[in-house]
Amino acid sequence: MIRLVDGPMTWVATGDSITQGVLHTHGARGWVEHLQERVRWQLGRLTDTVVNSGVSAWGAVDVLAAHDRLIGRFEPDVLSVSLGTNDCLAGEEGLPEFHDAMRRIVSGAGPRTQVVLQTPALVGVSGRERRAALPAYCQAVRDIAQDTGSLLVDHEAHWREHHGEADPIPWLDDPVHPNAVGHLRMANHTLDALGLGPLDPL
């Protein structure tokens, strides 16, 4: 659960295109925008700042290389890291590099920063051959969260709980990227995991 303080807080969400919220919501809010609505308006934290530093097509190594630009300069009170969807294209051979970069991102956070690690969501059935290693990367995120004491938001488990073995395409715009419904589901699951949710009806 996130610890809220009386004064203004800075929230940074970094990751890939799913965090950035590009294209696939077709004008609807992405999950970070829903998070901002909940924090800054519905919870009345009007002077909090929510920064979205997600970059489409990036992975953990990219984010680590740009750590100061994407994370450090904001000195976040809360840092959300959501990676793995692109990293898994390297297959299981890429797991050691992913582990190392993710752990270095976490260790680079300031002492007062509350770190939140998020597993990728499921991809559609037609995208699973190309991203066959994705479950292993989700497990890596779980392991790193446990080892580092970071908070965990497990989207993969949440989506599996809802969809089972069915294709999660109702929550997707293509085999990889969530649509507006998927982003809203991700936002509410994130808020619930952090003890801040869910969103009031929109």
Side-chain angles (χ1 to χ4, degrees):
M1 182 176 295
I2 287 294
R3 301 183 305 276
L4 299 177
V5 301
D6 291 337
M9 294 173 64
T10 299
W11 308 62
V12 172
T14 197
D16 50 33
S17 59
I18 297 172
T19 295
Q20 188 176 352
V22 299
L23 181 64
H24 297 280
T25 65
H26 300 282
R29 285 174 167 166
W31 75 262
V32 180
E33 293 172 296
H34 286 300
L35 172 70
Q36 177 175 251
E37 175 75 1
R38 178 64 179 164
V39 170
R40 297 191 67 206
W41 178 247
Q42 294 180 358
L43 297 182
R45 302 186 60 84
L46 302 181
T47 58
D48 279 17
T49 301
V50 178
V51 178
N52 184 339
S53 66
V55 182
S56 180
W58 276 24
V61 171
D62 305 301
V63 171
L64 177 63
H67 187 280
D68 288 345
R69 178 73 181 168
L70 300 183
I71 301 167
R73 66 189 176 119
F74 301 112
E75 299 182 352
D77 298 282
V78 179
L79 169 63
S80 167
V81 182
S82 181
L83 293 163
T85 301
N86 297 317
D87 307 80
C88 76
L89 294 172
E92 295 199 9
E93 296 81 4
L95 279 168
E97 186 175 55
F98 179 72
H99 265 275
D100 178 67
M102 289 289 286
R103 290 174 188 277
R104 291 172 66 187
I105 291 168
V106 173
S107 66
R112 66 179 175 80
T113 301
Q114 301 174 72
V115 179
V116 180
L117 299 184
Q118 308 209 21
T119 70
L122 289 178
V123 297
V125 170
S126 63
R128 290 180 186 173
E129 181 176 358
R130 186 165 182 242
R131 286 177 164 80
L134 185 59
Y137 283 75
C138 291
Q139 186 58 48
V141 173
R142 295 183 192 104
D143 293 342
I144 295 165
Q146 182 173 6
D147 292 347
T148 61
S150 302
L151 294 170
L152 175 67
V153 181
D154 197 337
H155 293 294
E156 186 198 44
H158 177 65
W159 284 45
R160 285 194 184 282
E161 181 181 354
H162 183 86
H163 294 284
E165 296 303 314
D167 194 342
I169 202 67
W171 291 7
L172 294 168
D173 187 55
D174 68 9
V176 177
H177 298 89
N179 58 19
V181 174
H183 272 272
L184 181 57
R185 294 284 188 162
M186 290 181 70
N188 270 325
H189 184 59
T190 299
L191 289 165
D192 184 63
L194 301 185
L196 302 174
L199 283 158
D200 293 339
L202 302 178

